[in-house]
Amino acid sequence: GQQLNQSPQSMFIQEGEDVSMNCTSSSIFNTWLWYKQDPGEGPVLLIALYKAGELTSNGRLTAQFGITRKDSFLNISASIPSDVGIYFCAGQLPSNTGKLIFGQGTTLQVKP
Amino acid sequence: DTEVTQTPKHLVMGMTNKKSLKCEQHMGHRAMYWYKQKAKKPPELMFVYSYEKLSINESVPSRFSPECPNSSLLNLHLHALQPEDSALYLCASSQTGTGNEKLFFGSGTQLSVL
């Protein structure tokens, strides 16, 4: 089936540093969603992207929908300890269903 | 309010037990989903209900039986599960289930099968 390649797999950074992660696919997506998940909890929606080239911010988070519609990135500026968690990208294919294809996740650790 | 409520939070069951997971949303969404998630892996889709009808079954074993009594409620009935079915079970909802929309997840039920 379709797969999303998410990188990096994990990051260990110093508090205050900026973070960047991305997802790529061989398939075209109509929608990109970025989620953060804490241990034992469900994924929390951070940013939703609907149009190629779209750049959207949510506080210190910025995400972009790639021009080719096959990729997306998420940036976190000035990281803080509560940014720790697993970040997932997810894409929706142009198939008129709500089915999401998830990336494998990026585990972020922040050192105070 | 973007809340999806799941109960119970934790569940331990034997392989001969019958149990049910419950999910509720009051956002007026007409699509609801069940996902299964193993530790450190992404969620895997199990079922999708759109307008109270089952629209996607991802070849899930029959020991998992979904039910959508109305557009706000979603159940997952469990029977004769195996230890490898132990996982975090997530419920989600979206506006219509026809794509190009946000999915909101509940906090999940952590299931252990002994």
Side-chain angles (χ1 to χ4, degrees):
Chain A
Q2 295 87 7
Q3 285 193 345
L4 286 181
N5 299 311
Q6 185 171 350
S7 64
Q9 187 174 353
S10 63
M11 302 181 74
F12 191 91
I13 62 170
Q14 197 77 31
E15 182 178 0
E17 290 183 353
D18 297 343
V19 172
S20 184
M21 59 192 79
N22 69 85
C23 281
T24 60
S25 173
S26 57
S27 301
I28 290 175
F29 289 94
N30 275 0
T31 302
W32 285 93
L33 305 174
W34 283 93
Y35 290 90
K36 177 177 183 275
Q37 187 172 24
D38 293 327
E41 297 293 327
V44 174
L45 182 64
L46 300 173
I47 292 180
L49 302 161
Y50 301 104
K51 295 180 182 178
E54 181 181 354
L55 184 70
T56 297
S57 293
N58 178 6
R60 294 179 294 106
L61 277 61
T62 302
Q64 185 160 28
F65 194 139
I67 291 291
T68 65
R69 295 172 63 193
K70 295 181 179 180
D71 63 312
S72 177
F73 72 75
L74 174 71
N75 287 340
I76 305 174
S77 62
S79 58
I80 58 178
S82 62
D83 291 334
V84 165
I86 302 179
Y87 291 80
F88 289 103
C89 63
Q92 287 180 344
L93 295 164
S95 59
N96 295 324
T97 75
K99 182 174 180 177
L100 289 180
I101 310 296
F102 277 87
Q104 292 301 305
T106 296
T107 300
L108 178 64
Q109 298 182 67
V110 179
K111 184 177 181 181
Chain B
D1 181 14
T2 57
E3 190 169 326
V4 176
T5 304
Q6 288 188 244
T7 55
K9 179 75 172 173
H10 301 277
L11 180 63
V12 179
M13 60 186 292
M15 289 188 284
T16 58
N17 292 158
K18 287 184 180 180
K19 297 286 184 183
S20 296
L21 309 184
K22 297 186 181 300
C23 177
E24 189 171 6
Q25 57 87 16
H26 294 291
M27 293 178 276
H29 288 172
R30 302 307 299 271
M32 296 187 78
Y33 308 73
W34 281 115
Y35 281 83
K36 173 183 177 181
Q37 186 179 28
K38 291 284 199 177
K40 300 187 186 302
K41 296 291 186 183
E44 298 175 358
L45 182 64
M46 300 174 71
F47 303 104
V48 181
Y49 274 84
S50 181
Y51 292 87
E52 296 153 56
K53 292 185 178 178
L54 185 64
S55 58
I56 296 178
N57 176 344
E58 293 284 278
S59 303
V60 179
S62 59
R63 58 185 184 269
F64 295 91
S65 175
E67 178 196 20
C68 189
N70 60 56
S71 59
S72 299
L73 295 173
L74 185 66
N75 300 321
L76 186 63
H77 303 297
L78 313 173
H79 174 52
L81 295 194
Q82 303 297 309
E84 59 265 27
D85 296 322
S86 298
L88 182 67
Y89 287 84
L90 295 163
C91 174
S93 72
S94 69
Q95 209 147 19
T96 63
T98 55
N100 296 335
E101 55 191 20
K102 303 172 184 177
L103 264 74
F104 296 95
F105 284 86
S107 57
T109 294
Q110 188 66 55
L111 175 67
S112 296
V113 182
L114 304 178

